[in-house]
Amino acid sequence: NAGVTQTPKFRVLKTGQSMTLLCAQDMNHEYMYWYRQDPGMGLRLIHYSVGEGTTAKGEVPDGYNVSRLKKQNFLLGLESAAPSQTSVYFCASTPFLGSDTQYFGPGTRLTVL
Amino acid sequence: EDKVVQSPLSLVVHEGDTVTLNCSYEVTNFRSLLWYKQEKKAPTFLFMLTSSGIEKKSGRLSSILDKKELFSILNITATQTGDSAVYLCTQGSNYKLTFGKGTLLTVNP
């Protein structure tokens, strides 16, 4: 099992460009999450999904969109990147309702110039 | 809104010292309190606590939860340089985790 994987690992964007971050898990987990981590801010939830075809907003959703067309994949999109979105992005998954233990991907370091 | 506060925010100790990391939380629909260790990569799971007063232990690390006073502590005994990391406390409820800002632990040889 690869666990939770994220693509790409690093990316540099210019202001206004768009991109999609891909999270994939091969553990058949129901729930998936996108976080951003900034210095001194801890991990903040952007969006999450409780199953295929469903998504919900987290703590800091503005400027991001997500989709969960397949159970194993959770995509995070930035339509018009801004320097404030420079961050490290982590994807996580958890197997089922009642399980709070989340398994994290390796992260994507995004810089917006 | 749910809130998780960790203290101290950073800590520097010498190898062999014992450290205690603190976590307080204010939350509705509490289900669990989790600790993660984060080195220069993804957080890795340490403990999940759901019952008050029951200590979880793994080697030199241990943790306990007090649901009445809404806090948890993470103890690390006989610290080693490999314990240097950010330790994240997080509370689980409503299918989500709310994270504290973390405690940066530096263990010097």
Side-chain angles (χ1 to χ4, degrees):
Chain A
N1 282 354
V4 181
T5 59
Q6 292 182 231
T7 309
K9 289 186 171 54
F10 304 93
R11 186 73 185 268
V12 178
L13 290 179
K14 293 181 180 178
T15 297
Q17 287 185 316
S18 63
M19 77 162 295
T20 300
L21 282 66
L22 171 63
C23 175
Q25 51 92 6
D26 60 1
M27 300 175 284
N28 202 35
H29 284 181
E30 288 294 334
Y31 301 154
M32 296 185 75
Y33 306 83
W34 275 108
Y35 295 91
R36 60 178 289 173
Q37 187 174 36
D38 303 295
M41 296 295 291
L43 281 155
R44 292 184 292 169
L45 182 64
I46 305 171
H47 286 280
Y48 65 103
S49 168
V50 299
E52 182 178 321
T54 70
T55 62
K57 293 181 180 179
E59 183 186 351
V60 287
D62 294 343
Y64 305 95
N65 56 73
V66 288
S67 65
R68 183 111 180 260
L69 299 179
K70 293 183 179 181
K71 185 177 183 179
Q72 63 267 34
N73 294 338
F74 195 28
L75 278 63
L76 178 71
L78 286 73
E79 289 187 350
S80 180
S84 60
Q85 293 178 304
T86 294
S87 188
V88 180
Y89 291 86
F90 287 102
C91 176
S93 68
T94 193
F96 52 81
L97 176 62
S99 172
D100 287 328
T101 306
Q102 292 188 8
Y103 299 86
F104 285 83
T108 294
R109 184 174 293 276
L110 175 67
T111 302
V112 183
L113 302 175
Chain B
E1 189 170 311
D2 299 347
K3 189 175 178 183
V4 176
V5 179
Q6 293 186 244
S7 64
L9 291 181
S10 66
L11 188 58
V12 180
V13 300
H14 291 290
E15 262 191 323
D17 288 349
T18 294
V19 299
T20 298
L21 309 183
N22 303 293
C23 175
S24 66
Y25 63 94
E26 302 171 6
V27 63
T28 55
N29 301 314
F30 173 87
R31 198 160 68 190
S32 62
L33 191 291
L34 298 91
W35 286 94
Y36 283 83
K37 177 182 181 182
Q38 185 177 26
E39 298 170 270
K40 292 188 183 299
K41 48 191 175 183
T44 54
F45 172 76
L46 293 174
F47 298 112
M48 183 170 74
L49 303 133
T50 55
S51 299
S52 201
I54 297 176
E55 185 182 49
K56 290 275 183 94
K57 201 169 171 65
S58 176
R60 296 176 293 102
L61 279 67
S62 64
S63 183
I64 197 161
L65 175 68
D66 186 327
K67 289 171 77 171
K68 183 179 177 184
E69 300 297 329
L70 304 183
F71 78 88
S72 174
I73 60 172
L74 175 68
N75 279 321
I76 308 175
T77 59
T79 52
Q80 302 171 357
T81 55
D83 295 326
S84 295
V86 173
Y87 289 84
L88 297 167
C89 173
T90 177
Q91 156 270 316
S93 68
N94 294 331
Y95 324 121
K96 295 180 287 182
L97 296 181
T98 301
F99 285 83
K101 294 182 178 180
T103 293
L104 173 61
L105 174 65
T106 302
V107 181
N108 290 325

